[in-house]
Amino acid sequence: MDHHAPIVYDLFGISGFHINLSNIIMLTVSAFIVFCIGFFSARSLKMKPSGMQNGFEWIIDFVKNTINSAMDWKTGERFFGLGITIFLWIFVSNMLGIPFMIVNHETHELWWKSPTADPVITMTFAVMVIVLTHYYGIKIKGAKEYGKGYFKPIPYLFPLKVLEEFTNTLTLGMRLFGNLYAKEILLTLLATAGGASLLGALAAGLPMIAWQAFSIFIGAIQAFIFLMLTMVYLAHKVADDH
């Protein structure tokens, strides 16, 4: 359990510029897998979809319905690309640490894991989403009208609305991190118990399989929740009826 990330300190000789090699690798792998899903699903489109195209069209409909539940499609259509990217990237990232993890037992460095099990990744992603909500709010409504929204329906709510931006960021990032971190901790405990002895392997085998199956469910649900909350936050910024 005493695992740590492979950190490169003072990169390029810049004091304080540290990078986590595991995060970079896993983010790249996640992005590559998402690209492959989109590329191969749309490579040869057919009127009667089958295989990957059929699955990808189901994802498209799912994301559209999620956006529609938060705002009208006329407003939300522009966020479709963002929504499907968020859902696929988080889902793939959540899945990467389920089948196995790669650890250097000599240095105790954890190289292969779910990138979403790192608070730096989830909080950075949450901050990016919140910044995008402000960007689109100003772009669609204009800076003056957007600023007025912080003082409606009564000016006294302004401090609470400012505080809400910080709480939204924190809950968006930490909810995802907490669920994925807990999942990987338990998988690591079961793997450790299974490797201790033959009896341990027998005792941990069934719980390991059950927890891996449940982890797939957790990963899918967390991807959906992150997508839903993103669209809800966007709706509050851009929709006139919020």
Side-chain angles (χ1 to χ4, degrees):
M1 289 301 295
D2 189 20
H3 300 151
H4 58 271
I7 306 293
V8 176
Y9 296 95
D10 299 332
L11 185 67
F12 305 127
I14 303 175
S15 179
F17 184 27
H18 313 318
I19 63 169
N20 185 326
L21 292 179
S22 176
N23 282 347
I24 293 175
I25 292 172
M26 300 314 299
L27 288 173
T28 304
V29 170
S30 297
F32 178 73
I33 293 175
V34 171
F35 171 79
C36 289
I37 292 173
F39 178 79
F40 289 109
S41 298
R43 185 173 58 173
S44 56
L45 297 177
K46 301 176 182 178
M47 292 300 296
K48 292 184 178 180
S50 60
M52 288 191 66
Q53 182 186 343
N54 193 43
F56 197 69
E57 289 191 3
W58 181 87
I59 294 174
I60 289 174
D61 289 337
F62 175 77
V63 173
K64 281 184 175 180
N65 291 334
T66 302
I67 296 173
N68 268 326
S69 67
M71 66 190 92
D72 65 275
W73 182 244
K74 183 179 179 181
T75 303
E77 184 178 6
R78 72 191 72 195
F79 305 124
F80 173 72
L82 173 65
I84 199 166
T85 302
I86 285 175
F87 179 77
L88 284 176
W89 184 84
I90 291 182
F91 177 75
V92 169
S93 297
N94 292 350
M95 296 298 108
L96 289 180
I98 292 177
F100 60 87
M101 288 182 284
I102 297 178
V103 179
N104 186 326
H105 293 288
E106 294 182 0
T107 60
H108 297 286
E109 292 175 338
L110 182 60
W111 285 88
W112 183 282
K113 62 182 180 64
S114 293
T116 42
D118 189 317
V120 174
I121 299 298
T122 59
M123 287 305 300
T124 300
F125 206 49
V127 169
M128 289 174 61
V129 166
I130 298 301
V131 169
L132 277 175
T133 64
H134 292 298
Y135 167 77
Y136 281 111
I138 294 173
K139 181 180 179 180
I140 293 174
K141 291 186 173 181
K144 185 177 180 180
E145 188 64 28
Y146 178 74
K148 288 181 180 179
Y150 281 89
F151 298 91
K152 295 178 180 178
I154 54 175
Y156 303 109
L157 291 179
F158 174 73
L160 294 178
K161 290 196 173 185
V162 172
L163 179 62
E164 184 182 31
E165 301 299 330
F166 293 97
T167 57
N168 286 346
T169 306
L170 186 63
T171 55
L172 190 63
M174 294 307 292
R175 177 188 286 107
L176 179 60
F177 160 69
N179 282 276
L180 270 294
Y181 183 70
K183 177 263 295 182
E184 296 212 344
I185 285 293
L186 188 51
L187 285 176
T188 303
L189 287 171
L190 291 172
T192 302
S197 63
L198 178 60
L199 182 61
L202 293 174
L206 187 58
M208 171 70 81
I209 295 172
W211 185 248
Q212 284 181 320
F214 187 62
S215 295
I216 295 174
F217 174 75
I218 292 175
I221 288 296
Q222 290 306 312
F224 164 70
I225 291 174
F226 199 101
L227 170 65
M228 173 60 76
L229 290 177
T230 298
M231 293 306 151
V232 169
Y233 295 159
L234 278 167
H236 278 86
K237 301 297 184 185
V238 305
D240 293 329
D241 55 341
H242 287 282

